[in-house]
Amino acid sequence: MSGEGVMSYWLDKWVAGDTKWHESEVNPYFKEYFPKLCKKSSQGSCKTLLPLCGKSLDLKWISEQGCEVFGVECSKLAIESFFQEHGLKFEITNLAGSDVYKCLNQPITIYCCNFFLFPSIVGQGVTFDFIWDRGSFVAIEKSDRKRYAEVMLALMRPGSVHLIEAFDYDVGDGCFEGPPRSLPFKEVQKLFGDACDYELLDVLDKTELGRQRFNCNFSSFKVGYYHGVCKK
Ligand SMILES: C[S@@+](CC[C@H](N)C(=O)[O-])C[C@H]1O[C@@H](n2cnc3c(N)ncnc32)[C@H](O)[C@@H]1O
């Protein structure tokens, strides 16, 4: 089963407190793009999903914009830290064998499960208006990418928006192969084929930062924002 073999890698990282990917602020690019790209319902909501959400601050920010937000995360420790660090009360229920953490005072729900099983847990046909893919597509194994795209498509309907923060770097001499893994724009286009239209919103040259952070002499290290709209 996709994801299962590597989940212990991530669970160990949470236990060791080795969570360098975690940002102490709401993602500034997401803050800029979300209001422009989300299509709110007449009730003013935009049902948003954060796959592999960790304890991202973006979850709370989205709920403060009046939108229902759902996260999927395999680490119970990450989920409970999220609620505790924000002083948010929650209740735990069980759905198809997975714990579901529902916030009592904000529209935030986090499923504790393997993301690859998420559609079968929530039920086929459950879809989202917006998917914020930060530290998710780039975190999974390259061999799981096709399956990941299939799971994403199962969670989208025509008009659903997929916003990805991705890295694009050379893995030439193999000094760093991730995670985060390199995910070129063209690969996303290829994986989703005719099902979604993707455009490149922005590309930032972060070569110096990438070299320092990952201790590797990349010839180029870029951060890209890919915007997809589902057509199927
Ligand atoms: C690189 S972190 C990114 C977390 C978050 N998106 C952020 O930006 O802070 C990847 C997260 O995915 C979780 N994870 C990894 N594989 C998973 C899987 N198959 N199903 C659910 N969660 C998973 C890990 O526990 C970890 O919290």
Side-chain angles (χ1 to χ4, degrees), residues 10-19 54-55 73-85 101 112:
W10 294 101
L11 297 176
D12 289 349
K13 284 207 165 279
W14 279 105
V15 171
D18 180 11
T19 58
K55 57 172 186 174
E73 170 56 52
C74 63
S75 164
K76 192 182 165 76
L77 183 58
I79 300 173
E80 295 189 358
S81 303
F82 168 78
F83 285 105
Q84 195 182 24
E85 288 169 18
Y101 290 70
C112 188

Side-chain angles (χ1 to χ4, degrees), residues 3 7 10 14 21 52-54 73-74 113-116 134-135:
M7 276 193 329
W10 294 101
W14 279 105
W21 64 80
L52 281 66
C53 63
E73 170 56 52
C74 63
C113 64
N114 179 353
F115 179 66
F116 292 92
R134 194 259 168 194

Side-chain angles (χ1 to χ4, degrees), residues 166-195:
F167 301 95
D168 186 351
Y169 57 86
D170 61 287
V171 286
D173 65 1
C175 63
F176 180 76
E177 293 187 355
R181 298 187 170 83
S182 183
L183 178 66
F185 179 66
K186 281 198 170 128
E187 190 170 340
V188 173
Q189 282 184 308
K190 198 170 148 201
L191 281 164
F192 286 89
D194 290 338

